[in-house]
Amino acid sequence: MCGCAEPLCSLRTSSHWVWSSSHPYCPDQEQVSPCASEHQRFHLQQVLWQCHGVVMLSDDNVIEIRGLFSWHPVCMSLGFCLCMTEGILLFSAEGSPFCFKSRKWKVRLHWFFQAVLLVCGATGFGFMVASKNIKEHPHFTSWHSLLGVATMAATMLQAICGVFLLFPKLISTRSFRRLRLYHATCGLLAYLLATVTVMSAMFTDWFQASVTGTVWYVFLLLPLFPALVVMNQITSAFLPKKKITI
């Protein structure tokens, strides 16, 4: 036990946070195991892998930060590989460095990570557009760019959906539970779409000219590990569990 004052994702009542009894990325209370130090170490190791990928991407020895376009992958990696992942994993039933925080703080941290994600995404998108305008290159001519636009659109829709969940008085009580399920499932699809978009970037001419050899394969496989963890977390929390009778 990590000595937390309360179990992860514990249910609290609050007049300010009306919807705090349930969150799209958090399992029900009876499915949650207490925080464990080994789970925290596992989560910390995963965070270090994500940071390692972001640092490598911005390292002058791997990709020279030169020109506007070079900042596009840096901003997108910080937003989608780090902030988007951590914004979901802090609700993990397996434990996280934030297990000592109350549910209200987890919700606030979730919104903070997603807000930084939107800022980084918009900034990275702006760098890309500005660079192509300066060089007079056509926009959205590759699969990576089309997937990127779809990912940004899905992320913005998820943020709008999150606003309605944060302020449930904006919608009817009957729609709230259904919207919560949609937010979780569509959030998983948005995250997997972001993972595919990041992996497709490894096949662009710019990236292959900048990164070669073994490091290229490290970058290609790096997004898969957190994607599998996030997929397991959300599906375990929301997919119906069928009892097997013999």
Side-chain angles (χ1 to χ4, degrees), residues 128 132 137-147 149:
M128 183 272 295
K132 295 215 171 208
H137 289 172
H139 295 284
F140 313 122
T141 57
S142 65
W143 280 108
H144 172 67
S145 60
L146 295 176
L147 287 170
V149 172

Side-chain angles (χ1 to χ4, degrees), residues 11-88:
L11 305 183
R12 285 191 169 194
T13 57
S14 172
S15 58
H16 181 69
W17 296 90
V18 180
W19 68 289
S20 62
S21 61
S22 187
H23 190 276
Y25 300 118
C26 179
D28 296 334
Q29 187 177 18
E30 61 268 19
Q31 300 173 355
V32 176
S33 58
C35 303
S37 58
E38 58 181 297
H39 291 150
Q40 290 183 3
R41 288 194 297 268
F42 169 78
H43 185 95
L44 182 59
Q45 182 182 18
Q46 182 176 334
V47 174
L48 291 176
W49 268 103
Q50 298 165 23
C51 294
H52 176 63
V54 174
V55 170
M56 286 182 65
L57 193 57
S58 59
D59 192 346
D60 290 343
N61 295 324
V62 179
I63 296 179
E64 184 178 359
I65 303 299
R66 179 179 56 186
L68 292 176
F69 189 81
S70 298
W71 289 104
H72 169 74
V74 175
C75 293
M76 292 304 190
S77 298
L78 285 171
F80 287 93
C81 296
L82 185 62
C83 293
M84 190 178 195
T85 305
E86 285 307 302
I88 298 175

